[in-house]
C-alpha cells in the first residue's frame, strides 16, 4: 500500500506549552522563523550557531512522509559541512556524479558533473527529504546542548501577521488556544503555498506549465540500474512522454513519469494505474513495494521582492522552480547561507540593516537564474509545437554521435552555485590572470590540502586567504574579526589550489565572506584595500 503522504516520518518536536502563551503581553523575540521544512530548520541552525536567539514555529510536530526533494548538490553539502551535519548526510546518501540521457531505447550521451578530483563532497547525493531534515534537526539538538538559543515549537500555527516599522506581531493557534508573539525579524520558510505570503497580500508571479508529472517512489532490490541519473525522452516502454529514474537510500527508487496536462489526477494516483506504468517500464516479473506517490506541475515563479522590511522570505515561499535540475531545496539552502551571516551582523550591530537589501539583490539574481534554466528545460522536455518537437528530436539524434549537439540537450540543467557577478557587496578583483571560477562574487571551489580540504579550513566567518604571500593574522576591522589562512602551493602538490585560485598569478590574497563567496581578491595584502573591501562587503560603503 502507498504510505499516507500526510503522516509523519519522524515526530521530532511534539507540542509543549510555552511560557509565552500565559504571558500578560506578547513576548518579543529577536527572530521568529515560520516553517520547519529544510529551509526553516537550516535558518534556525545558522542563526543559533551565531548565538542569536531564534524561535521556530511549525503547524505540525515533525517531518512528513514522502521523499519529495531527493537530489542535494555539492554546494548544499558544503554548507551542511559548515553547519556540522554534512557527514551523516553523505554517509546515508547515494552518491552520484554521472547522468545518462536516452531516447527510445538508445543512449544519446552521458555526462559527469564532477570529473575533477580534489573535492571533499561529490557532485550530488540522493537522500530523501525527511532524512535531510532529520539530520539538520539532530544538529540543532547538538547545538542546543552546547547552549545555542534555538527553540522549536510544534503545533504552533501562524494565523495572522501585522507588520510595524521595527517589529512584527504574529497571531498563533495552539492546542491550548491562541496567543501572540512579537518578533524583531520574521523569516518566512513556509513553503510554496506560503500562508504568510498570502496574509501579507504579496504576489507570486511567473508561469505554470501545462503538463503533469507523476512521482512514484518504490522499494525494490535491483542490479538493472546503476547509481546514476537516467532520463528517457519518448521511452520505449511507453509509460510517459519522458521518464526520470534515481536511486535513493534504503533500496528506494524515484521514478518520474511525464503524463500530460489533461489527465484525471485521482485516477492516475490509484495504485493499480501507477503499477501499470511501472510494470511497463520494469517488467511484470520485477517485485517492488509502493512507497509514496504524487503529481506535480512545472511552475517557475517568484516574489517581486524577498525582503519586506522586517519580514524576509526564503526557499519555496520566495521562489519556485520545476524539479528537473534539483534547484528547489538547493537554491533554498543558498538563501539560508546568504541571509544568515547578514542578519547576524545586523542584529549584533556590526552592519546597517540596509545590508539585508543585498539579500534581495543576490538571491533574486539566483532565483532568476534558476527560473531561466528551469524554463529552458521545461520547453525542451515538453515541446509546445510540432516544430519544436521536431527540433528537440533532431537534437537528440545528433547528440548520439556528435558532441556539438550535446550541450543543446536539456533534461534539466543540474544545480550549481550561483555567482553574484553584479552584487553591490563585491570589492575589487585585481588579481592578474586570476581564474574565472573564483572571481569576486563566486562561491569558493574546494581544493585538497593533504588530508584536509580548503573549504573546511575556511569555516564560516570572514577569512583572508593568502597564497604564496604574507598577510597578518589577528585582524579586526570595524569590530569584525577576520581570520587569516596562509597557504602555499606546496600545501597541494597536485596543483589544484594553484589552478583554482592563482591561475597564472604567482600569489593571491582573497577576502572571503562567511558564506564562502569571494568578496575581493588582489595579488598581495594591502591594509587599506582590505578595509575598503570589508566595509563594502558589510554594506557600509
Amino acid at each position: 500500500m502507498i504510505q499516507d503522504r500526510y503522516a509523519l516520518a519522524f515526530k521530532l518536536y511534539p507540542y509543549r506549552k510555552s511560557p509565552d502563551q500565559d504571558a500578560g503581553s506578547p513576548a518579543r523575540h529577536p527572530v521568529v522563523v515560520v516553517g520547519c521544512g529544510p529551509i526553516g530548520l537550516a535558518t534556525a541552525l545558522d542563526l543559533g550557531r551565531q548565538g542569536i536567539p531564534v524561535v521556530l514555529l511549525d503547524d505540525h510536530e515533525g517531518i512528513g512522509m514522502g521523499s519529495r526533494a531527493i537530489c542535494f548538490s555539492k554546494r548544499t553539502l558544503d554548507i551542511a559541512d559548515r553547519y556540522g551535519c554534512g557527514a551523516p548526510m553523505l554517509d546515508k546518501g547515494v552518491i552520484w556524479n554521472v547522468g545518462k540521457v536516452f531516447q527510445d531505447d538508445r543512449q544519446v550521451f552521458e555526462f559527469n558533473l564532477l570529473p575533477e578530483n580534489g573535492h571533499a563532497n561529490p557532485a550530488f547525493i540522493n537522500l530523501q527529504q525527511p532524512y535531510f531534515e532529520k539530520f539538520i534537526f539532530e544538529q540543532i539538538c547538538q547545538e542546543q546542548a552546547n547552549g545555542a538559543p534555538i527553540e522549536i515549537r510544534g503545533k504552533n500555527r501562524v494565523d495572522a501577521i501585522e507588520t510595524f516599522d521595527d517589529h512584527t506581531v504574529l497571531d498563533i493557534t495552539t492546542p491550548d488556544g491562541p496567543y501572540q508573539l512579537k518578533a524583531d525579524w520574521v523569516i518566512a520558510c513556509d513553503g510554496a503555498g506560503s500562508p504568510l505570503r498570502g496574509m501579507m497580500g504579496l504576489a507570486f508571479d511567473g508561469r505554470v506549465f501545462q503538463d503533469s508529472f507523476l512521482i512514484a517512489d518504490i522499494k525494490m532490490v535491483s542490479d538493472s540500474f546503476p547509481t546514476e541519473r537516467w532520463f528517457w525522452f519518448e521511452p520505449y516502454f511507453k509509460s510517459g512522454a519522458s521518464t526520470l529514474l534515481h536511486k535513493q537510500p534504503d533500496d528506494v527508487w524515484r521514478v518520474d513519469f511525464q503524463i500530460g496536462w489533461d489527465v484525471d489526477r485521482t485516477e492516475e494516483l490509484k495504485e493499480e494505474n501507477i503499477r501499470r506504468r511501472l510494470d511497463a517500464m520494469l517488467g511484470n516479473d520485477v517485485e517492488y513495494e509502493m512507497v509514496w506517490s504524487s503529481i506535480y506541475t512545472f511552475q517557475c515563479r517568484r516574489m517581486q521582492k524577498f525582503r519586506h522590511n522586517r519580514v524576509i522570505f526564503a526557499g519555496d515561499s520566495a521562489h519556485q522552480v520545476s524539479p528537473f535540475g534539483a534547484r528547489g531545496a538547493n537554491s533554498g539552502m543558498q538563501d539560508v547561507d546568504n541571509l544568515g551571516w547578514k542578519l547576524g551582523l545586523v542584529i549584533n550591530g556590526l552592519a546597517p540593516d540596509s545590508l539585508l537589501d543585498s539579500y534581495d539583490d543576490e538571491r533574486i539574481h539566483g532565483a532568476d537564474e534558476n527560473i531561466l534554466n528551469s524554463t529552458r528545460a521545461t520547453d525542451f522536455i515538453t515541446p509546445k509545437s510540432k516544430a519544436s518537437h521536431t527540433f528537440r528530436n533532431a537534437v537528440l539524434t545528433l547528440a548520439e554521435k556528435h558532441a556539438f549537439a550535446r550541450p543543446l540537450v536539456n533534461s534539466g540543467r543540474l544545480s550549481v552555485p550561483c555567482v553574484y557577478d553584479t552584487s553591490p557587496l563585491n570589492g575589487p578583483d585585481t588579481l592578474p590572470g586570476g581564474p574565472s571560477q573564483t572571481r569576486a562574487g563566486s562561491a569558493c571551489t574546494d581544493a585538497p590540502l593533504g588530508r584536509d580540504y580548503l573549504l573546511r579550513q575556511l569555516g564560516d566567518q570572514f577569512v583572508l586567504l593568502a597564497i604564496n604571500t604574507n598577510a597578518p593574522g589577528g585582524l579586526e576591522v570595524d569590530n569584525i574579526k577576520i581570520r587569516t589562512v596562509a597557504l602555499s602551493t606546496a600545501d597541494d602538490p597536485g596543483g589544484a589550489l594553484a589552478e583554482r585560485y592563482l591561475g597564472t598569478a604567482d600569489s593571491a590574497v582573497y577576502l572571503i565572506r562567511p558564506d564562502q563567496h569571494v568578496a575581493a581578491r588582489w595579488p598581495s595584502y594591502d591594509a587599506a584595500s582590505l578595509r575598503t573591501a570589508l566595509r563594502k562587503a558589510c554594506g557600509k560603503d
Side-chain angles (χ1 to χ4, degrees):
M1 291 294 294
I2 302 175
Q3 292 174 346
D4 178 1
R5 62 180 62 88
Y6 300 107
L8 290 181
F10 304 106
K11 188 173 182 177
L12 300 178
Y13 35 90
Y15 171 74
R16 293 183 179 88
K17 191 172 184 180
S18 164
D20 288 351
Q21 293 170 239
D22 294 325
S25 59
R28 184 161 175 166
H29 295 270
V31 181
V32 172
V33 177
V34 181
C36 267
I39 308 310
L41 287 165
T43 300
L45 177 57
D46 188 302
L47 295 172
R49 291 178 71 250
Q50 298 180 59
I52 295 169
V54 56
V55 174
L56 182 53
L57 304 178
D58 196 65
D59 56 352
H60 298 292
E61 294 178 295
I63 296 167
M65 297 291 281
S67 58
R68 293 165 287 160
I70 63 167
C71 297
F72 293 98
S73 70
K74 180 183 182 301
R75 176 63 176 157
T76 291
L77 294 172
D78 291 340
I79 294 168
D81 264 353
R82 298 208 313 278
Y83 291 164
C85 50
M89 293 176 182
L90 196 59
D91 289 343
K92 182 69 176 178
V94 173
I95 295 171
W96 66 277
N97 293 322
V98 173
K100 292 180 179 176
V101 177
F102 303 85
Q103 183 184 29
D104 194 4
D105 60 351
R106 309 182 331 274
Q107 179 177 320
V108 175
F109 76 103
E110 69 177 65
F111 55 88
N112 188 335
L113 294 169
L114 194 64
E116 62 185 13
N117 295 320
H119 295 265
N121 288 308
F124 275 90
I125 62 167
N126 288 347
L127 179 70
Q128 294 93 324
Q129 184 173 321
Y131 284 125
F132 185 83
E133 294 179 27
K134 182 172 180 285
F135 292 137
I136 298 176
F137 176 83
E138 289 173 347
Q139 186 63 36
I140 287 176
C141 293
Q142 289 188 37
E143 299 292 344
Q144 287 173 324
N146 293 326
I150 306 171
E151 181 185 357
I152 303 180
R153 299 182 186 177
K155 285 287 185 181
N156 275 241
R157 187 185 71 232
V158 178
D159 285 335
I161 182 170
E162 187 175 7
T163 61
F164 299 89
D165 287 343
D166 66 344
H167 72 284
T168 297
V169 178
L170 300 171
D171 289 354
I172 302 164
T173 298
T174 75
D176 286 315
Y179 74 107
Q180 287 188 324
L181 278 184
K182 291 182 179 180
D184 295 340
W185 299 92
V186 171
I187 314 300
C189 305
D190 51 344
S194 184
L196 279 180
R197 190 179 63 237
M199 293 172 201
M200 294 179 67
L202 300 172
F204 205 33
D205 300 326
R207 295 174 62 186
V208 177
F209 294 87
Q210 293 191 351
D211 211 334
S212 302
F213 293 81
L214 170 68
I215 292 176
D217 278 2
I218 61 174
K219 189 176 182 68
M220 69 175 180
V221 178
S222 174
D223 295 326
S224 300
F225 305 105
T227 306
E228 298 171 346
R229 179 189 195 263
W230 282 19
F231 189 100
W232 287 266
F233 290 96
E234 300 177 344
Y236 63 91
F237 41 82
K238 310 297 182 185
S239 290
S242 68
T243 301
L244 176 65
L245 177 70
H246 273 290
K247 185 178 181 180
Q248 306 173 63
D250 304 328
D251 292 320
V252 175
W253 297 76
R254 157 70 59 84
V255 189
D256 290 58
F257 296 114
Q258 182 183 356
I259 61 175
W261 181 248
D262 296 319
V263 295
D264 185 328
R265 293 190 170 207
T266 301
E267 284 295 312
E268 291 290 348
L269 284 171
K270 289 181 177 179
E271 183 169 345
E272 61 268 27
N273 291 327
I274 298 174
R275 285 186 175 274
R276 174 177 51 81
R277 294 183 184 275
L278 288 166
D279 291 345
M281 175 184 179
L282 303 172
N284 292 323
D285 58 338
V286 175
E287 294 185 2
Y288 57 86
E289 174 189 347
M290 297 291 302
V291 176
W292 181 70
S293 66
S294 182
I295 290 178
Y296 64 89
T297 56
F298 276 172
Q299 300 186 51
C300 292
R301 305 185 294 174
R302 71 163 172 87
M303 300 176 68
Q304 292 181 357
K305 294 196 307 177
F306 298 167
R307 180 191 178 188
H308 293 265
N309 192 22
R310 293 295 181 117
V311 181
I312 302 172
F313 291 79
D316 285 351
S317 69
H319 47 77
Q320 189 177 11
V321 292
S322 60
F324 291 124
R327 294 174 177 272
N330 289 306
S331 64
M333 288 296 290
Q334 292 182 58
D335 290 349
V336 177
D337 199 33
N338 188 284
L339 175 61
W341 68 273
K342 296 174 180 177
L343 186 56
L345 288 181
V346 171
I347 289 174
N348 287 322
L350 297 173
D353 77 1
S354 58
L355 174 63
L356 296 173
D357 293 336
S358 70
Y359 172 74
D360 257 7
D361 291 319
E362 294 180 342
R363 294 313 301 153
I364 284 176
H365 170 73
D368 286 344
E369 181 179 281
N370 286 325
I371 288 171
L372 175 63
N373 279 286
S374 285
T375 299
R376 287 173 173 172
T378 303
D379 288 339
F380 196 85
I381 293 168
T382 61
K384 306 302 183 293
S385 67
K386 185 176 180 180
S388 60
H389 186 269
T390 300
F391 170 80
R392 195 274 306 276
N393 285 0
V395 168
L396 293 171
T397 299
L398 288 167
E400 185 176 0
K401 295 183 178 179
H402 301 286
F404 79 88
R406 290 167 193 163
L408 300 176
V409 176
N410 194 338
S411 61
R413 299 279 187 260
L414 276 298
S415 176
V416 296
C418 182
V419 179
Y420 305 133
D421 279 317
T422 60
S423 171
L425 306 187
N426 288 349
D429 190 340
T430 59
L431 181 64
S436 175
Q437 65 178 323
T438 46
R439 64 189 183 273
S442 65
C444 290
T445 190
D446 211 354
L449 299 173
R451 296 183 179 180
D452 202 359
Y453 290 89
L454 176 62
L455 296 189
R456 291 175 178 170
Q457 292 201 13
L458 296 181
D460 53 7
Q461 64 184 89
F462 277 103
V463 168
L464 197 66
L465 173 63
I467 305 173
N468 288 350
T469 189
N470 294 322
L475 292 168
E476 188 172 312
V477 176
D478 291 354
N479 297 316
I480 295 176
K481 293 181 179 179
I482 307 169
R483 189 166 58 86
T484 298
V485 174
L487 300 171
S488 74
T489 48
D491 294 306
D492 173 28
L497 181 68
E499 177 187 349
R500 298 166 193 175
Y501 284 87
L502 292 180
T504 60
D506 294 324
S507 63
V509 171
Y510 283 75
L511 176 62
I512 298 171
R513 304 177 349 180
D515 58 359
Q516 294 188 349
H517 277 258
V518 175
R521 61 181 182 176
W522 312 269
S524 59
Y525 172 75
D526 178 78
S529 297
L530 172 63
R531 185 177 188 278
T532 299
L534 182 72
R535 288 183 59 82
K536 189 169 187 182
C538 294
K540 295 180 179 180
D541 289 330

